Amino acid sequence: MTELLQAAISPPNLLPTGLLVFVLLYWLTVLLGLLDLKTVDLSVEDHGHLHFDSDGAPNEMGTSWLNGTLAFFNLGRIPLMIFLSFLFLPLWVGSILLNYYTGNTSGLLGLAFFLPLFIGSLFVAKFLTLPFVRLFTAMEKDHDSSAVVIGKVCTVVLPATAEHLGQASVRIDGAPLMLNVRSTKAPLGKGETALVIDFDAARKCYLIEPFANS
């Protein structure tokens, strides 16, 4: 374990280690409820068409090429941080192994190894994220039928506020359905009852408010 730690912080592996630490810290903040899954995301709409929030209009040919690249690597079809997690982990492992077996201790040579390792890790990430593409595609189909759950009473499973994403369970025809939710009014804690009032297409979550039985 000590040898692995020493290898991770050695000059040729320092950049991949820093990227891996970045995603680990991100997931830690998600677990602590400080951020949610959609806080850092890439806005790609209409089956892989990149959405620009600025007023500048990008070159059409360049945008088309970029859209195709993003779609090929599943970006825009899954949250950005999930893709980066599956990108940086194999990148780090590959860097550790390559520098170990070549006996490299040079930071400059480590940077030279970084580019081919990064490209290879992109394809690994594409393969590893395929199950998540199917998962989020299924979730999108559930969102398309949002009218089914709007107006239903749900039970909060993970705390939700106006800023932070939570989860709630609602029963449709007797079967429980998990929803990503935000509270429009007071924060809602685990186990509280809420009413589903709308679907936020921009942030891809349902809006709920406290519900009390009369």
Side-chain angles (χ1 to χ4, degrees):
M1 188 67 179
T2 302
E3 293 180 355
L4 179 60
L5 179 60
Q6 290 175 344
I9 60 177
S10 65
N13 298 314
L14 203 54
L15 179 56
T17 297
L19 295 174
L20 182 63
V21 169
F22 166 72
V23 295
L24 291 176
L25 289 176
Y26 170 80
W27 289 117
L28 178 61
T29 58
V30 170
L31 289 174
L32 293 176
L34 301 177
L35 296 175
D36 61 60
L37 195 59
K38 296 290 185 180
T39 300
V40 181
D41 209 352
L42 187 66
S43 182
V44 182
E45 301 174 349
D46 299 327
H47 306 289
H49 292 280
L50 186 64
H51 174 70
F52 291 87
D53 293 326
S54 61
D55 293 332
N59 178 271
E60 184 176 350
M61 182 177 295
T63 303
S64 177
W65 176 85
L66 181 58
N67 287 336
T69 303
L70 293 174
F72 177 79
F73 288 110
N74 299 329
L75 284 163
R77 303 168 70 185
I78 60 173
L80 176 62
M81 291 307 297
I82 290 182
F83 181 84
L84 291 183
S85 300
F86 284 102
L87 171 62
F88 293 158
L89 180 58
L91 175 64
W92 179 78
V93 172
S95 179
I96 293 288
L97 293 176
L98 182 58
N99 287 296
Y100 174 78
Y101 284 110
T102 59
N104 175 45
T105 58
S106 169
L108 290 176
L109 186 55
L111 288 176
F113 288 155
F114 181 84
L115 181 58
L117 284 171
F118 183 84
I119 294 173
S121 298
L122 281 172
F123 288 93
V124 173
K126 170 183 170 61
F127 174 77
L128 293 178
T129 55
L130 286 176
F132 291 90
V133 172
R134 300 188 186 98
L135 173 63
F136 282 94
T137 298
M139 291 175 63
E140 288 296 326
K141 290 179 180 178
D142 289 338
H143 291 160
D144 291 340
S145 59
S146 58
V148 175
V149 299
I150 291 176
K152 299 285 186 180
V153 175
C154 63
T155 302
V156 178
V157 177
L158 292 177
T161 67
E163 296 79 21
H164 299 305
L165 197 68
Q167 284 193 327
S169 174
V170 60
R171 289 193 171 274
I172 303 295
D173 296 328
L177 179 64
M178 297 299 297
L179 308 175
N180 291 325
V181 297
R182 292 180 190 270
S183 175
T184 60
K185 295 183 178 179
L188 288 164
K190 180 178 179 180
E192 292 191 66
T193 302
L195 181 68
V196 183
I197 60 172
D198 201 358
F199 178 69
D200 187 340
R203 295 195 288 185
K204 297 181 180 179
C205 65
Y206 289 91
L207 303 179
I208 60 174
E209 63 181 25
F211 178 82
N213 292 318
S214 56

